[in-house]
Amino acid sequence: MADKNETKFLTYKGKPLVRSGNTLYYGDMSDEYVVMMQILSVKEIDGTDMAQKVSVQLLSTNADLRPKERVIRKSEKEGLYNAIDIGSIWLERALAGTM
C-alpha cells in the first residue's frame, strides 16, 4: 500500500512538473539540473487565461553556487508549449552531459 505522506506530482516525459503561482519547475530536485519557467504575460482566449510570454531557465541545483551562477541557459518563449518543449530538451541534454 502506498505511503499516505507520499506526494504525487504531475509528470511530463517522466519528470515532475510542479506549479507554484506563475512559476513552474520541471525536473527532479535531486538531479543536477532543473528547469524553471515563469509566466510573464497571459492572454484571454474564450474566457480562459493562456500563457503568452514565458521565461525559461535551466538551473543547476548545486547549493554551493551563487544564484547568478546557477543559471546555465535562459530564453523567452511564446506560449507554454514552446517553453516546456525547449526546457525538456535542455534538461535532457544537461543530465546526459552533452551540453
Side-chain angles (χ1 to χ4, degrees):
M1 195 156 160
D3 184 8
K4 291 183 181 184
N5 294 328
E6 183 178 315
T7 304
K8 299 270 183 179
F9 293 112
L10 176 68
T11 61
Y12 178 72
K13 294 186 178 181
K15 302 230 178 282
L17 182 64
V18 180
R19 180 179 178 181
S20 176
N22 282 342
T23 304
L24 292 99
Y25 292 94
Y26 174 60
D28 193 334
M29 292 303 283
S30 64
D31 286 342
E32 195 173 346
Y33 301 98
V34 294
V35 173
M36 179 179 72
M37 295 170 277
Q38 292 180 305
I39 299 171
L40 303 175
S41 67
V42 295
K43 63 181 172 181
E44 188 174 319
I45 299 175
D46 295 329
T48 303
D49 287 340
M50 302 293 285
Q52 187 173 9
K53 279 189 179 177
V54 182
S55 169
V56 185
Q57 295 182 2
L58 176 66
L59 304 173
S60 171
T61 57
N62 185 346
D64 296 333
L65 297 175
R66 295 182 317 178
K68 270 192 166 184
E69 294 172 337
R70 288 185 187 187
V71 178
I72 308 302
R73 293 188 91 168
K74 63 181 176 179
S75 181
E76 197 170 289
K77 295 295 176 189
E78 199 66 34
L80 188 57
Y81 175 79
N82 293 328
I84 291 175
D85 191 38
I86 194 68
S88 68
I89 292 168
W90 287 353
L91 185 61
E92 183 180 311
R93 289 179 182 172
L95 293 175
T98 59
M99 189 162 228

